[in-house]
Amino acid sequence: MRISISVTLILLLTACKTTNNIVDKPIVFNEERKILTLEYLSKRYGLEKDTPEIEPKMIVLHWTVIPTLEKSFEAFNNPSLPNWRPDIKNVSGLNVSSQFMVDRDGTIYRLMPETTMARHVIGLNHCAIGVENVGGDTGQPLTKAQLKSNIWLVRYLAEKYDIDYLIGHYEYTLFEGHPLWLEKDKGYRTKKTDPGEDFMRKVRKEVKDLNFKALPE
Ligand SMILES: [Zn+2]
């Protein structure tokens, strides 16, 4: 009897153990997206490149507010900005995206190669890897599973690349004037609150040992 209980317990523990595999779920990255990305790098940052490669120095955490993975994916999939975001169309036709997206259940999806530029943070896309979390905001707070996966992903990326900074999207304007900040248009800013101060505090607490640099004052 006791043996069977132990065996059951071991089986349960094994089943519950979180294995954070990254699932590749690529958005469209065709010639059009490549051209728009190179144009973005040139016009916004003055970087003339042959490939849309970035040198990762920063991880930026986000939330999509969009409640499902499918709808969030759809929002990023098209290479050019759809009509429902005409507010930023005059800046560049490149659609927004991110390298990673974390579903409500914690599943990590890789939407693009890790070192290909995604449009997710003004001023810093040339050096920033973006992690979007499905949902968020007051209507659908980020889940514990998402928190765990973000922590895992930050560790995975910090091990692989020379990452100096971990920031929440709402903190990006602190980098104005920093050497990494390349946006040329002083009027091009959006106010952000994602992924929430509470979420950032929790992630930072768990990755303290990685010793990221302090944010600019
Ligand atoms: Zn964001």
Side-chain angles (χ1 to χ4, degrees):
M1 185 61 185
R2 177 169 280 178
I3 290 169
S4 79
I5 287 172
S6 305
V7 169
T8 311
L9 201 63
I10 287 166
L11 283 174
L12 268 173
L13 284 173
T14 315
C16 292
K17 191 171 162 260
T18 40
T19 46
N20 278 292
N21 294 320
I22 295 173
V23 182
D24 280 306
K25 186 176 167 67
I27 54 169
V28 172
F29 207 99
N30 54 8
E31 193 59 21
E32 183 193 6
R33 199 168 202 136
K34 185 187 166 188
I35 288 167
L36 287 168
T37 306
L38 292 176
E39 185 190 88
Y40 187 101
L41 283 162
S42 167
K43 287 198 176 150
R44 315 273 15 122
Y45 301 153
L47 296 174
E48 306 300 333
K49 288 172 170 269
D50 299 324
T51 61
E53 288 288 297
I54 65 166
E55 198 188 320
K57 290 279 168 205
M58 177 185 288
I59 301 165
V60 184
L61 306 185
H62 302 262
W63 64 34
T64 67
V65 182
I66 301 169
T68 65
L69 173 79
E70 289 71 27
K71 293 273 181 215
S72 299
F73 183 88
E74 243 175 66
F76 291 175
N77 196 29
N78 205 48
S80 61
L81 276 178
N83 294 330
W84 55 272
R85 296 290 301 271
D87 50 322
I88 46 176
K89 184 114 190 174
N90 59 340
V91 170
S92 159
L94 176 64
N95 196 8
V96 291
S97 67
S98 62
Q99 285 84 355
F100 292 94
M101 185 173 280
V102 182
D103 199 1
R104 307 283 301 163
D105 67 0
T107 308
I108 300 170
Y109 294 93
R110 181 164 41 211
L111 309 185
M112 307 166 53
E114 292 165 4
T115 55
T116 294
M117 195 203 92
R119 182 179 189 181
H120 62 98
V121 58
I122 292 168
L124 302 161
N125 289 311
H126 65 95
C127 66
I129 293 180
V131 179
E132 286 281 355
N133 287 279
V134 174
D137 215 348
T138 47
Q140 210 182 14
L142 299 184
T143 66
K144 276 193 177 148
Q146 284 175 312
L147 176 65
K148 268 192 166 179
S149 293
N150 277 248
I151 292 163
W152 183 89
L153 193 50
V154 167
R155 289 192 172 282
Y156 161 85
L157 292 170
E159 196 166 293
K160 212 165 165 185
Y161 305 105
D162 192 12
I163 304 289
D164 288 333
Y165 299 99
L166 167 68
I167 74 167
H169 195 185
Y170 67 91
E171 296 168 312
Y172 82 100
T173 50
L174 292 173
F175 282 83
E176 286 185 55
H178 186 279
L180 287 176
W181 181 273
L182 295 184
E183 173 58 40
K184 294 176 162 207
D185 184 352
K186 283 187 164 51
Y188 178 41
R189 302 287 183 275
T190 49
K191 177 123 180 66
K192 296 293 177 183
T193 58
D194 63 320
E197 289 181 29
D198 185 53
F199 190 79
M200 282 312 296
R201 192 171 41 75
K202 287 173 178 161
V203 174
R204 284 193 169 117
K205 191 173 160 234
E206 297 301 322
V207 299
K208 238 185 180 151
D209 57 298
L210 297 177
N211 293 312
F212 292 121
K213 289 185 183 170
L215 304 192
E217 294 288 315

